[in-house]
Amino acid sequence: MSLRATFAAACVAVAGLAIAAALGLSYVAFRSVLTVDAEQSFRALVDAVADRARHAELGPEAFGAPPDHGAVEYRVMTSRLVITQVLGPAGTIEVRDRGRPLLPVDPSDVAVAGAGQPGEQAEHVVESDGESYQVVAVALGDGRGAVQIAQRTTEAVRLLGHLTELMAVVGVVLFGLAALAGWLIANRVTRRLHELTATAERVAASRRLDTPVPPAGRDEVGRLGAAISTMLDELARARADQRRLIEDAGHELRTPLTSMRTNVTVLRRFAELTPEAQEALLDDLDVETRELSALVDELIGLSGERHSAEPVRPVALAELAEAVAARARTRTGRTITVDAEQVVIDGRVGALDRALSNLVDNAAKFDPSGSPIGIVVRAGRITVLDRGPGIADEDRDRVFDRFYRADQARSRPGSGLGLAIVDDVASAHGGSTFAGNRAGGGAAIGFTFSPGSHPDRTSISPERRTLGA
């Protein structure tokens, strides 16, 4: 079943239950009012006749006398709610309304007519001409006769039957209207979902990420449409980045591979070379193989940073900087100083470690003087300082591009991807990269991170603040 049909069926079911409950309660209330009111009116009239019989010596002739509009006798004979007959002492009908049906006289009515106690009653149900009557006979006393008061019970049943039929018709009409309204609402609500589904199917079939997503308003469906549009934009951007990365990587790989093919061609005449030429050839192959391996490692690292599933957790940047500095000291033998405030951010510790390590390695590579390398951590900012040749103005805006290598760096080992990884890590943490020159010579390269971090500006111990300007 489609979502549209399911939604419409749910609306119809809820509306049907509401209609059934409303009509059912209305029927019960009307039936209660009808039966209670009729019974109360009937009993009130019977009690009035009995009370009148107890307080006045009435005979059958009192009910046929000229009307006294306030008398019970007149009211009981002219009531349109009941049928009245007056019986003589022997149970014969003495007075009756000629326009009303003739009621049968039951033996209990005859007994009440000859009773000596006024107000004595006998009650029973009789059938006459297909109608059912509730009959109460009230004794006039001293054997003077009785008054039969009857109420049709089939009238209420018939009225309730008509009411049931009317409510059934009304219920069917309301149910049909509810079904139509439910279908229209379901069609209106799911039409936009259908359009979004069709768009997603077209994207899946054509693989075109530039397929336009129809606008869908500001409700949940609208938010879904906006999310799909944003997702397609991100996928298109990722595909474009992937294509550029492959093109750049192919260009960078072409150079060492061409050199290696040349050296392999020379290897076919390896025996004809002098020992010095053989050694130079092997050294060249070793260097090219190492550069090719480093390039592949950097490509894998760059891809890993873009698609890392590493969880986000609190990272103490001062401790991270100390760990990076300790590894760099062991690996390079250089002096690495740390000046760090106690800053804690929510981030990916592996990515931040790699970015900071790349900055320190870059400083060590471009500063052959052996001067100390400094790591400075402040709230919202990490900077790595060296005393190398610095950064030329024309290179400052491009040092973080993939595979970009300044003229002075082309003779040095490296792939040109280390700082690109730093840029990706900074972007992933809501920040950006920066590069400039230090006063007195050298470079200052680093990155910022999201201002939503949680800095603690309490500085670390003075002995760790060993970096000069």
Side-chain angles (χ1 to χ4, degrees):
M1 183 181 293
S2 66
L3 179 61
R4 180 181 302 173
T6 301
F7 189 81
C11 290
V12 170
V14 172
L17 290 175
I19 292 170
L23 292 179
L25 291 174
S26 299
Y27 176 82
V28 171
F30 184 81
R31 184 180 62 180
S32 176
V33 170
L34 180 64
T35 55
V36 170
D37 283 354
E39 181 68 19
Q40 287 179 346
S41 298
F42 179 71
R43 291 298 173 185
L45 198 56
V46 170
D47 292 342
V49 173
D51 186 66
R52 176 66 170 165
R54 293 189 189 98
H55 293 86
E57 295 182 357
L58 298 177
E61 67 282 358
F63 293 88
D68 179 359
H69 295 285
V72 173
E73 299 94 305
Y74 174 77
R75 288 191 287 112
V76 76
M77 293 303 296
T78 58
S79 173
R80 309 308 299 174
L81 300 177
V82 297
I83 300 173
T84 305
Q85 294 182 157
V86 182
L87 305 180
T92 58
I93 300 175
E94 300 289 339
V95 182
R96 61 181 289 265
D97 187 347
R98 298 295 179 179
R100 302 294 188 93
L102 183 64
L103 295 175
V105 179
D106 190 80
S108 61
D109 298 334
V110 177
V112 169
Q117 183 67 33
E120 186 176 338
Q121 299 176 12
E123 184 174 351
H124 55 88
V125 177
V126 299
E127 300 287 338
S128 177
D129 297 331
E131 297 283 354
S132 178
Y133 297 89
Q134 179 184 7
V135 181
V136 177
V138 180
L140 296 178
D142 297 329
R144 291 191 297 268
V147 180
Q148 277 185 312
I149 304 173
Q151 176 179 250
R152 280 190 300 184
T153 57
T154 52
E155 186 68 26
V157 174
R158 187 179 298 112
L159 184 59
L160 289 174
H162 291 326
L163 179 63
T164 302
E165 294 174 358
L166 178 60
M167 285 187 170
V169 172
V170 172
V172 170
V173 172
L174 291 178
F175 187 80
L177 293 176
L180 178 61
W183 178 258
L184 293 176
I185 294 173
N187 184 66
R188 180 179 178 82
V189 171
T190 60
R191 183 179 66 248
R192 295 179 296 164
L193 288 175
H194 178 74
E195 293 173 353
L196 292 177
T197 302
T199 301
E201 291 173 345
R202 287 197 299 272
V203 172
S206 64
R207 296 181 180 273
R208 291 185 60 85
L209 300 179
D210 57 348
T211 302
V213 178
R218 298 182 178 180
D219 56 6
E220 287 77 3
V221 180
R223 291 168 55 193
L224 176 62
I228 292 177
S229 180
T230 302
M231 179 186 67
L232 292 178
D233 291 342
E234 291 297 326
L235 288 175
R237 189 177 299 109
R239 176 184 286 182
D241 289 345
Q242 184 183 50
R243 186 182 298 112
R244 286 196 299 270
L245 179 62
I246 293 174
E247 292 172 354
D248 293 343
H251 176 75
E252 291 296 323
L253 287 170
R254 192 175 292 115
T255 300
L257 288 176
T258 299
S259 178
M260 291 181 69
R261 282 199 300 270
T262 301
N263 287 330
V264 169
T265 300
V266 176
L267 278 175
R268 297 180 184 276
R269 301 171 42 244
F270 188 78
E272 302 175 10
L273 301 177
T274 63
E276 293 80 5
Q278 292 177 352
E279 186 69 23
L281 178 62
L282 293 177
D283 290 342
D284 193 20
L285 281 173
D286 181 63
V287 170
E288 290 168 349
T289 302
R290 290 177 183 275
E291 288 185 359
L292 187 60
S293 298
L295 177 58
V296 172
D297 289 341
E298 292 292 348
L299 285 171
I300 294 173
L302 182 61
S303 175
E305 293 303 334
R306 288 176 176 266
H307 306 286
S308 176
E310 182 183 1
V312 175
R313 62 183 181 85
V315 180
L317 295 184
E319 297 177 5
L320 178 69
E322 285 290 359
V324 171
R327 289 200 306 271
R329 294 185 191 107
T330 302
R331 185 171 62 252
T332 65
R334 302 281 293 270
T335 299
I336 312 295
T337 61
V338 177
D339 179 11
E341 293 179 345
Q342 295 291 351
V343 179
V344 178
I345 67 170
D346 292 329
R348 294 188 286 124
V349 62
L352 292 169
D353 185 288
R354 184 177 182 84
L356 186 54
S357 296
N358 285 358
L359 290 174
V360 173
D361 291 343
N362 184 77
K365 180 171 64 175
F366 287 97
D367 180 10
S369 67
S371 301
I373 296 172
I375 301 175
V376 179
V377 178
R378 295 290 184 267
R381 190 180 186 90
I382 295 178
T383 309
V384 174
L385 307 170
D386 63 61
R387 288 297 183 184
I391 303 173
D393 292 339
E394 61 271 16
D395 297 328
R396 188 170 301 175
D397 295 333
R398 301 192 59 191
V399 293
F400 293 99
D401 292 346
R402 290 194 300 263
F403 300 109
Y404 179 77
R405 304 183 74 188
D407 292 338
Q408 61 182 350
R410 296 189 182 278
S411 60
R412 300 178 185 275
S415 62
L417 288 177
L419 294 183
I421 292 176
V422 176
D423 186 65
D424 278 351
V425 172
S427 298
H429 288 77
S432 60
T433 51
F434 60 88
N437 293 319
R438 297 177 66 186
I445 304 179
F447 63 92
T448 62
F449 42 85
S450 171
S453 58
H454 309 287
D456 177 359
R457 294 187 175 274
T458 304
S459 299
I460 59 177
S461 56
E463 59 267 25
R464 292 171 59 186
R465 306 176 66 85
T466 57
L467 180 65

